């Protein structure tokens, strides 16, 4: 059987390792596993949301409201846009997939920074597109403009704050890139961690409203990170109505679940939970910065719910990650991104205590 030629170019996405794997392979008790690998909210989700999910359990046999009217209404209020500016996906990942399928054909190219969210490449390659990367892991305006002019990519991805590095691109720089791109190309502004960046420094805050006037820009957001609903798989794209209309042609019916829909609607009502999550995070991340300073390695100033530690040649990120894993502490090795670095989700105080204790022993 012959598969689509495009598949030859694709390496499967390496997801953060699950708790179950550590329990199975290393015999660690589930309660002793500390999972700091997938940028989940360590506080869990809002208790109000958990209650709504439980209350809706008996409605699981029903398909969800396919218009997603209530969720779109809540999002349109939150972001001051119209409901025809919004498309909902099973995670913003699914919206990325819609974008890729709606725009790319074999031979097109797409542009992204050197080290960024791995799914951009995978969705683009599924369509037979070529990947162009800027030289730096940070989003540098001049590098984007130069690469854009040379390759005329069909899609330009701006991940701010950026995963897996944690740095962010200012609104001013994002607008500079958008302004340099012709209306023949789409700019995707992926704000999966925007809540954290906006809370840290206003100059990084990008609202869908700020970029909606451009016909060729889409903003992506998700409930997976600050809202603590990774397991519910709800994300959204916000753009002008014509673009959303085209993306809708890619959407399968009932693409999020009845429980996910109820959870996301409730999550928007409890913004206080998000604020609390961000302030816990702001306290705890300081300890990660201090730990790095004390142990003499570098880190990237983070605008997200994780921190990226950069090691010199005396420390090997794969070795460190493997040793931690055996002790039940799951972090994300960035060796597959060709970086001698690890990405660690900021956990609860207790989880972080354990991480520091194990990492300290491992480093000696
Ligand atoms: C987590 C993440 C997403 C999307 O996650 P979903 O769970 O699919 O909503 C998108 N972009 C980046 C950069 C992410 O880190």
């Amino acid at each position: 059987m012959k598969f689509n030629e495009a598949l030859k170019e694709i390496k499967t996405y390496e997801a953060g390792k699950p708790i179950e794997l550590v329990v199975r392979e290393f015999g660690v008790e589930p309660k002793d596993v500390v999972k700091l690998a997938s940028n989940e909210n360590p506080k869990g989700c809002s208790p109000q949301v958990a209650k709504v999910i439980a209350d809706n359990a008996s409605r699981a046999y029903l398909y969800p409201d396919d218009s997603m009217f209530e969720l779109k209404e809540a999002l349109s209020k939150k972001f001051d846009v119209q409901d025809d500016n919004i498309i909902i996906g099973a995670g913003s990942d699914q919206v990325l997939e819609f974008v890729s399928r709606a725009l790319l054909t074999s031979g097109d190219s797409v542009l992204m920074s050197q080290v960024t969210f791995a799914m951009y490449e995978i969705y683009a390659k599924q369509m037979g597109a070529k990947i162009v990367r800027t030289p730096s892991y940070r989003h540098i305006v001049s590098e984007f403009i130069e690469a854009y002019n040379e390759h005329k990519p069909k899609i330009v991805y701006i991940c701010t704050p950026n995963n897996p590095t944690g740095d962010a691109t200012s609104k001013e720089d994002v607008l500079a890139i958008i302004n340099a791109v012709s209306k023949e190309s789409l700019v995707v502004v992926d704000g999966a961690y925007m809540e954290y960046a906006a809370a840290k420094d206003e100059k990084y805050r990008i609202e869908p409203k700020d970029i909606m006037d451009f016909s060729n820009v889409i903003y992506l957001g998700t409930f997976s990170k600050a809202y603590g609903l990774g397991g519910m798989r709800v994300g959204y794209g916000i753009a002008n109505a014509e673009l959303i209309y085209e993306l809708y042609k890619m959407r399968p019916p009932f693409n999020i679940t009845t429980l996910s829909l109820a959870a996301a609607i409730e999550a928007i009502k409890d913004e206080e939970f998000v604020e609390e999550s961000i302030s816990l995070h702001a306290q705890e991340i300081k300890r990660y910065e201090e730990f790095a300073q004390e142990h003499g390695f570098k880190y990237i100033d983070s605008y997200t719910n994780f921190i990226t530690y950069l090691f010199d040649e005396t420390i090997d990120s794969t070795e460190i990650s493997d040793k931690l894993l055996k002790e039940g502490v799951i972090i994300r090795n960035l060796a597959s991104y060709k970086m001698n670095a690890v990405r660690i989700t900021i956990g609860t105080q207790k989880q972080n205590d354990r991480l520091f204790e194990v990492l300290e022993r491992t480093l000696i």
Side-chain angles (χ1 to χ4, degrees):
M1 189 169 57
K2 201 163 168 302
F3 288 97
N4 183 333
E5 285 290 319
L7 269 58
K8 285 192 182 142
E9 302 296 317
I10 300 176
K11 276 216 307 255
T12 316
Y13 179 75
E14 184 199 335
K17 295 190 167 59
I19 292 172
E20 292 80 352
L21 175 136
V22 185
V23 173
R24 227 168 30 236
E25 287 196 9
F26 304 112
V28 182
E29 290 288 319
K31 67 169 179 30
D32 295 329
V33 177
V34 173
K35 184 178 186 240
L36 301 174
S38 297
N39 306 336
E40 291 141 333
N41 186 333
K43 271 174 70 75
C45 70
S46 151
Q48 260 166 255
V49 172
K51 182 170 185 304
V52 162
I53 296 171
D55 290 350
N56 275 274
S58 65
R59 295 179 65 247
Y61 75 100
L62 288 169
Y63 281 117
D65 168 10
D66 192 55
S67 76
M68 302 183 199
F69 177 82
E70 233 186 302
L71 178 55
K72 283 196 197 165
E73 190 180 50
L75 285 168
S76 59
K77 279 215 187 86
K78 177 175 161 68
F79 292 117
D80 188 22
V81 299
Q82 304 299 313
D83 64 351
D84 61 1
N85 296 130
I86 303 172
I87 187 164
I88 308 294
S92 54
D93 252 294
Q94 194 181 32
V95 184
L96 281 167
E97 189 191 349
F98 296 160
V99 164
S100 205
R101 283 169 45 219
L103 281 155
L104 299 175
T105 47
S106 179
D108 284 338
S109 65
V110 300
L111 174 62
M112 63 192 76
S113 84
Q114 183 62 232
V115 178
T116 191
F117 191 46
M119 291 311 299
Y120 306 152
E121 172 171 340
I122 293 177
Y123 293 130
K125 282 185 169 171
Q126 287 172 357
M127 303 306 296
K130 285 197 299 283
I131 313 300
V132 179
R133 292 177 184 274
T134 61
S136 307
Y137 72 73
R138 289 178 198 279
H139 291 59
I140 308 290
V141 176
S142 57
E143 290 181 4
F144 267 82
I145 295 177
E146 194 176 320
Y148 181 78
N149 290 336
E150 186 181 340
H151 298 278
K152 291 280 180 288
K154 197 75 184 284
I155 304 178
V156 177
Y157 295 94
I158 303 177
C159 188
T160 182
N162 191 25
N163 179 12
T165 53
D167 63 303
T169 309
S170 68
K171 178 168 143 186
E172 191 186 345
D173 281 1
V174 170
L175 288 172
I177 296 172
I178 292 173
N179 276 306
V181 168
S182 106
K183 294 282 182 278
E184 300 305 307
S185 308
L186 178 73
V187 181
V188 175
V189 177
D190 184 349
Y193 303 92
M194 187 56 72
E195 292 87 354
Y196 297 92
K200 178 162 167 165
D201 186 339
E202 277 297 319
K203 79 174 197 251
Y204 295 96
R205 179 192 294 278
I206 298 168
E207 302 264 352
K209 260 284 206 211
D210 300 333
I211 47 182
M212 281 267 298
D213 290 341
F214 297 91
S215 60
N216 62 327
V217 178
I218 186 166
Y219 178 91
L220 303 186
T222 180
F223 287 92
S224 297
K225 310 289 163 51
Y227 288 86
L229 289 175
M232 283 282 120
R233 316 300 307 120
V234 190
Y236 49 88
I238 302 182
N240 75 84
E242 291 75 34
L243 182 55
I244 295 296
Y245 178 79
E246 296 301 324
L247 294 183
Y248 251 87
K249 297 177 183 174
M250 301 296 149
R251 190 186 73 96
F254 314 118
N255 61 320
I256 64 170
T257 72
T258 301
L259 297 185
S260 310
L261 186 57
I265 292 165
E266 190 64 28
I268 296 183
K269 295 180 190 158
D270 192 2
E271 291 289 349
E272 209 175 299
F273 171 81
V274 175
E275 283 160 29
E276 284 166 14
S277 302
I278 290 172
S279 51
L280 165 77
H281 164 80
Q283 275 173 31
E284 290 296 312
I285 197 167
K286 286 201 201 104
R287 302 173 63 206
Y288 278 84
E289 295 169 354
E290 285 160 17
F291 186 89
Q293 284 152 7
E294 278 164 23
H295 293 80
F297 48 79
K298 295 203 175 74
Y299 61 89
I300 301 173
D301 189 24
S302 170
Y303 292 82
T304 57
N305 64 351
F306 58 83
I307 194 162
T308 299
Y309 280 169
L310 303 167
F311 299 135
D312 63 15
E313 59 291 345
T314 63
I315 302 175
D316 179 55
S317 68
T318 303
E319 203 179 304
I320 291 279
S321 310
D322 288 350
K323 280 185 178 166
L324 260 62
L325 193 64
K326 290 201 178 87
E327 301 224 25
V329 178
I330 318 174
I331 61 171
R332 183 65 192 263
N333 179 14
L334 298 186
S336 63
Y337 291 87
K338 301 191 196 81
M339 288 178 95
N340 183 24
V342 295
R343 187 193 72 190
I344 308 174
T345 308
I346 311 304
T348 59
Q349 187 179 10
K350 200 168 147 228
Q351 289 177 317
N352 300 331
D353 287 345
R354 172 131 173 87
L355 177 283
F356 293 136
E357 185 255 311
V358 178
L359 185 54
E360 179 122 57
R361 261 193 287 122
T362 311
L363 285 169
I364 310 166

